[in-house]
Amino acid sequence: MKKIAFISSLIILAMTVEAQKVALHSATGTQHFTGTSAFISAYNAANSGDTIYLPGGGFSSPANIDKQLWVLGAGHYPDSTQATAKTFINGNITLSENADGFRLEGVHINGSIFFDNNESVDNVIIKYCKVENDLNVQGSLITPSFNLTIINSVFSGSYFYLSNAQNAGIFNSIVQGKILNSFGNFFENNILMFSYTGYTNYYTISGDNNLCNNNIFLNASNRYLSGVSNQTNNNIFVSTPNLGTTPISSGNYYPVPQNSIFINQTGNAFSYDHNYHLQSPATYPGIDNTETGLYGGTHGYKEGAVPSNPHIQVQNIATTTDTEGNLSVQIKAVAQDQ
């Protein structure tokens, strides 16, 4: 059964890449859409539970997403999308209350991800994505969004708002901006890059009752967490940390010079050219005895952030047929185990 599913996915993916078509896969079959608004057209035709495959290229996003869908792109790392090109979503992704269970993989968003204000959008998964701007789970916990999960993703914006998120889990990701209004959420094996020394109220994470395990904090000041009863275990801090009021802490490493942490990394911004492996992983074990940072924990960072659908590594399609009318097509795809 798995083999049949793989072959079906590969056929859909090959057709999608060859013609730069967006594919909508549902229980009744597969439809294809073309053009920069193809994602919008596929969304309009979709029902909850359907899957949308986005090939390499740029696509406009629906004004809001109010269905439970799985949206799969081709990836965002340059070295892993040479055969397909990156998948870009131009503009913002906005999730509304009927988008429970929405899953997004393998896209580069030239905008932000929003959750509608004070609407409960539960069990959203964001995986293998790059978001140029912010995450904003808007609201005041009147009707919170539960169980947001972010894995192996990069957020390059200035703000990461979790004001209406409860029991969110941020795993093995890179967050460049400050994390605001986080109450009762979980951060594990991330690189938290925010660093600012100009104002005393700028912290890497602000909020209460958060659990932080195995992360790397690059804030040059000592202002890492503000709020009450935050728990930190086996994190690396580049300076002696201020962890807020009545913190619970164990096994943290500080101060650790930033230039001694990674194989190749400088500054406080993500770069595809950096190497985020640790120089000395055995020196900084996590609470689970894996290493701190991106490559430890239960969701170790996947090189190239390749999405979970079959990934096309080689695509060679002749521009003309031979003398017998045959068209040479070479496509090599590899199944993904996560």
Side-chain angles (χ1 to χ4, degrees):
M1 189 68 184
K2 285 184 177 179
K3 185 175 181 181
I4 293 171
F6 171 76
I7 293 171
S8 298
S9 297
L10 180 56
I11 291 169
I12 292 169
L13 198 61
M15 292 173 65
T16 298
V17 170
E18 180 183 353
Q20 293 293 288
K21 293 178 179 178
V22 169
L24 168 62
H25 183 66
S26 67
T28 58
T30 302
Q31 299 173 259
H32 291 95
F33 305 86
T34 59
T36 58
S37 62
F39 181 21
I40 297 173
S41 298
Y43 171 79
N44 290 337
N47 295 308
S48 285
D50 290 351
T51 301
I52 295 175
Y53 295 92
L54 301 177
F59 302 95
S60 299
S61 176
N64 72 310
I65 292 175
D66 202 27
K67 304 173 186 178
Q68 185 266 305
L69 299 172
W70 189 354
V71 177
L72 283 158
H76 69 86
Y77 268 74
D79 60 358
S80 298
T81 56
Q82 292 181 4
T84 60
K86 287 185 177 187
T87 299
F88 287 95
I89 293 178
N90 299 313
N92 301 321
I93 293 285
T94 300
L95 303 178
S96 298
E97 61 181 337
N98 294 314
D100 288 355
F102 176 77
R103 180 166 178 159
L104 182 67
E105 287 192 31
V107 300
H108 188 149
I109 299 173
N110 289 326
S112 300
I113 296 177
F114 291 96
F115 286 54
D116 274 347
N117 188 50
N118 272 324
E119 289 190 0
S120 178
V121 188
D122 299 333
N123 304 311
V124 170
I125 298 175
I126 300 167
K127 197 172 184 181
Y128 309 132
C129 292
K130 185 174 192 297
V131 181
E132 284 300 321
N133 295 328
D134 303 331
L135 172 72
N136 195 342
V137 187
Q138 308 170 87
S140 55
L141 297 178
I142 297 171
T143 51
S145 292
F146 287 98
N147 305 323
L148 166 64
T149 302
I150 296 174
I151 299 172
N152 282 206
S153 293
V154 178
F155 284 78
S156 297
S158 299
Y159 300 100
F160 196 88
Y161 290 102
L162 294 174
S163 54
N164 203 46
Q166 285 275 273
N167 198 37
I170 317 302
F171 302 96
N172 301 79
S173 294
I174 295 173
V175 179
Q176 201 165 298
K178 53 184 175 288
I179 299 166
L180 298 170
N181 302 327
S182 178
F183 301 97
N185 297 309
F186 183 36
F187 302 87
E188 183 177 79
N189 286 96
N190 303 290
I191 301 176
L192 305 178
M193 290 188 163
F194 176 73
S195 183
Y196 194 78
T197 58
Y199 296 97
T200 58
N201 62 341
Y202 278 14
Y203 288 78
T204 302
I205 300 175
S206 64
D208 305 332
N209 301 304
N210 297 291
L211 176 58
C212 302
N213 292 340
N214 309 347
N215 303 285
I216 300 174
F217 288 78
L218 299 184
N219 198 338
S221 79
N222 71 339
R223 296 188 291 276
Y224 292 105
L225 287 96
S226 69
V228 177
S229 300
N230 291 300
Q231 185 171 349
T232 58
N233 301 298
N234 296 70
N235 302 278
I236 295 175
F237 299 96
V238 297
S239 60
T240 302
N242 179 343
L243 300 175
T245 304
T246 61
I248 303 167
S249 62
S250 175
N252 295 305
Y253 307 99
Y254 59 86
V256 180
Q258 184 171 337
N259 63 7
S260 73
I261 298 174
F262 305 105
I263 289 178
N264 175 28
Q265 189 275 338
T266 57
N268 296 85
F270 169 78
S271 172
Y272 290 113
D273 295 327
H274 287 163
N275 185 335
Y276 296 104
H277 285 276
L278 301 185
Q279 293 182 28
S280 304
T283 304
Y284 306 107
I287 193 172
D288 55 354
N289 291 318
T290 67
E291 64 185 270
T292 57
L294 289 184
Y295 296 95
T298 56
H299 302 282
Y301 200 80
K302 187 179 183 181
E303 298 291 2
V306 176
S308 58
N309 53 314
H311 183 66
I312 292 180
Q313 291 183 330
V314 176
Q315 179 195 195
N316 296 316
I317 302 173
T319 56
T320 60
T321 58
D322 61 19
T323 56
E324 296 181 356
N326 299 312
L327 182 69
S328 175
V329 177
Q330 180 189 18
I331 295 178
K332 178 183 177 182
V334 177
Q336 304 300 308
D337 58 4
Q338 58 176 322

